[in-house]
Amino acid sequence: MLVIGHGVPGSVPGPQVIHTVLYHPFPHLPGSVGAQPPHPDVGPSRYRHRRGCSELLDEILERVRERVEEIRDRTFTPRAGGRSLRKALSGPGVSVIAEVKPASPSQGRLRDVDAEDVAERARAYERGGAAGISVLTEPEFFDGRPEYVEVVRETVDIPVLRKDFIIDPVQVEESAHYGADAVLIIAAAVRGEAPELIDLAHEHDMEVLLEIDRREHLELLSECDPDVVGVNNRDLRTLEVDLNRTLELGPEIKDLTNAPLVAESGVSGPEDVVRLGEVADAVLVGTYLMRASDPSEAVRELVEAGRSTG
């Protein structure tokens, strides 16, 4: 936990708790003095009970389009660049991208977090040997915040990936504003707009992880230049997880690009890292790490398993 006292932020080892917070390093974020708590009717658990899984992606994208219009006229100042996710994933064995994910539509709320918790979890991931940190920023279904990208970037020295449903150039500009080193572009969400969004991200000195979840998306690899390619083992419409998605698509992807390949979703322990290491250069892990009582040690175990495949 990040312990705050006497107006100066700092870390204190051990299970110490200070009940009076005298200073908050990110006063504009949830969890700060004066911040408004989430509305009780907003969040993944509500969504899970009122919608069928097959409608998930469409519902998320509908809400994303509404939020895009809300930020359309904002002016963003780019502050991104400098940390290469591609380079961080290019070493031997299987690297680990550790994710900050407060909740998900499939699992409900994983952990209550505020800016302090996000910062401390990022430190723990870095101590455990993570090659990069993914920050899930979608607010309604995953309880994320775009501002958490800034929190993590100011906390760690490893690359920070903004993971969201980015469908519009203004979201790319927003990502650069909060200091993302890389952004996720989901082929199933953007379709033909992927090349434009990838080019814009590169103009803002950010790299791109292009997510592919089915064979028909492979043609995008000849139309654009992603820095990293990911395969989502979770079907975004049914929420079913199958690690074979990476194992089956991985060899075809590697025939088309030399970008590092990331297996996303479904990792539940070191044995999955070893299995995915048959084709993957990295794994992106969220739920498993958010549930871990010792996230640093949990990352370390995954990293050690990844090294054994090198």
Side-chain angles (χ1 to χ4, degrees), residues 42 66 115 266-267:
V42 173
E66 294 174 7
V267 172

Side-chain angles (χ1 to χ4, degrees), residues 1-6 10 12 15-22 116:
M1 177 178 182
L2 182 66
V3 180
I4 309 298
H6 305 295
V12 177
Q16 302 186 39
V17 177
I18 293 178
H19 294 286
T20 302
V21 177
L22 301 179
E116 296 172 16

